[in-house]
Amino acid sequence: QGGTELYLLFDGFRHLPLTVSANRRDGGALTVEDYPETLKLMGTAGLNAADQTKVEFIIDPNVYWKSLELDEVKTRDVFAQPTIEKGVLTGLWGYKINRSYFMHYKSAVRKANSDGKVDQDSTGNNTTGSILAVRWDQWLLGYRRRMTMETTRIARADTTEIVALMRLGLQERDNEAAALTYDITV
C-alpha cells in the first residue's frame, strides 16, 4: 500500500479518527446505540458533538440498509417516533444522516476491513461497514498553492490544451472534529 491508501486523498474526515485512537471504536453487530456511542468520541463526554445543528453522520450504503432494519427507526405503526420519512432514513437521536456511496468506494462491495480501511490487495477482507460523525465547522478547505492555468494552441488538431494545477487539502481545527465506529457487521 505504501502511501496509496484511499483515506489519504484529502487527509480528512475518516483519516483523523483512523489515526487518533480516542476518536474510533470497534462496533460489532449494528445497534441503534452505535450512533450516540460514536458521538461520545468527539471530545470529553462528546462535548464537540453537543450541537446537533453542526454535527452529522455519514454512513456507507451497507450500514444504511442495515439501519433501516432497526426497530427504533421503523414507521409509526411499529414505533411512535419514526425516523424514516417516505422510505428515507432522515436521522437518529436528532442528528442528520447522510448515506455516501463514496465511502469505501474502492471496494466493489462498498465495505471496509476490520480496521476500518479498504483493503485493495485482498478484497475479500472488506466485509464491514462504518459510521462517521463529522462536525462541519471544525474543518477548513485550504490551499497550499493557488490554481495556475495555461493554454497551448495545437494547430494541427484545431484545439487548445488547458492545463490547471493546484494543491489543496482538508485541515481539522482539533483532534475532536470527527469520530468513527468501524468494523460494523452488515
Side-chain angles (χ1 to χ4, degrees):
Q1 292 181 351
T4 62
E5 293 85 352
L6 183 63
Y7 66 86
L8 292 177
L9 179 64
F10 270 106
D11 198 19
F13 303 143
R14 289 187 68 242
H15 184 239
L16 174 65
L18 286 172
T19 57
V20 178
S21 61
N23 293 43
R24 68 177 183 264
R25 63 183 284 275
D26 193 324
L30 178 67
T31 66
V32 74
E33 287 81 17
D34 284 325
Y35 289 90
E37 290 301 319
T38 304
L39 295 170
K40 291 177 188 177
L41 299 173
M42 299 178 77
T44 305
L47 179 63
N48 221 24
D51 188 346
Q52 294 175 334
T53 64
K54 295 181 179 171
V55 178
E56 295 180 7
F57 291 111
I58 302 172
I59 59 176
D60 65 73
N62 297 293
V63 170
Y64 178 83
W65 295 120
K66 197 68 171 173
S67 294
L68 290 176
E69 298 173 10
L70 296 171
D71 286 338
E72 292 86 354
V73 303
K74 295 197 176 164
T75 57
R76 291 188 196 280
D77 58 332
V78 176
F79 186 65
Q81 298 295 321
T83 55
I84 296 178
E85 298 283 334
K86 298 180 183 174
V88 177
L89 183 61
T90 59
L92 277 174
W93 304 103
Y95 294 86
K96 185 177 177 190
I97 291 182
N98 300 291
R99 172 179 43 176
S100 174
Y101 279 87
F102 186 72
M103 187 182 284
H104 312 145
Y105 89 96
K106 281 291 189 177
S107 166
V109 291
R110 299 294 197 261
K111 295 179 182 176
N113 66 16
S114 61
D115 293 329
K117 301 174 183 173
V118 174
D119 190 337
Q120 293 177 317
D121 298 325
S122 300
T123 56
N125 292 337
N126 299 324
T127 60
T128 64
S130 301
I131 297 172
L132 177 65
V134 177
R135 179 161 174 157
W136 302 113
D137 66 342
Q138 301 294 308
W139 292 88
L140 173 71
L141 179 64
Y143 294 100
R144 299 204 188 273
R145 183 177 63 212
R146 293 282 183 177
M147 183 180 290
T148 60
M149 291 181 56
E150 62 182 84
T151 61
T152 304
R153 173 88 174 116
I154 304 171
R156 69 174 173 227
D158 193 26
T159 61
T160 301
E161 178 184 57
I162 301 171
V163 177
L165 301 170
M166 67 184 295
R167 288 186 57 207
L168 58 98
L170 284 175
Q171 182 64 47
E172 71 273 7
R173 179 176 171 184
D174 57 36
N175 282 346
E176 299 165 352
L180 179 74
T181 295
Y182 62 93
D183 196 21
I184 296 175
T185 306
V186 286

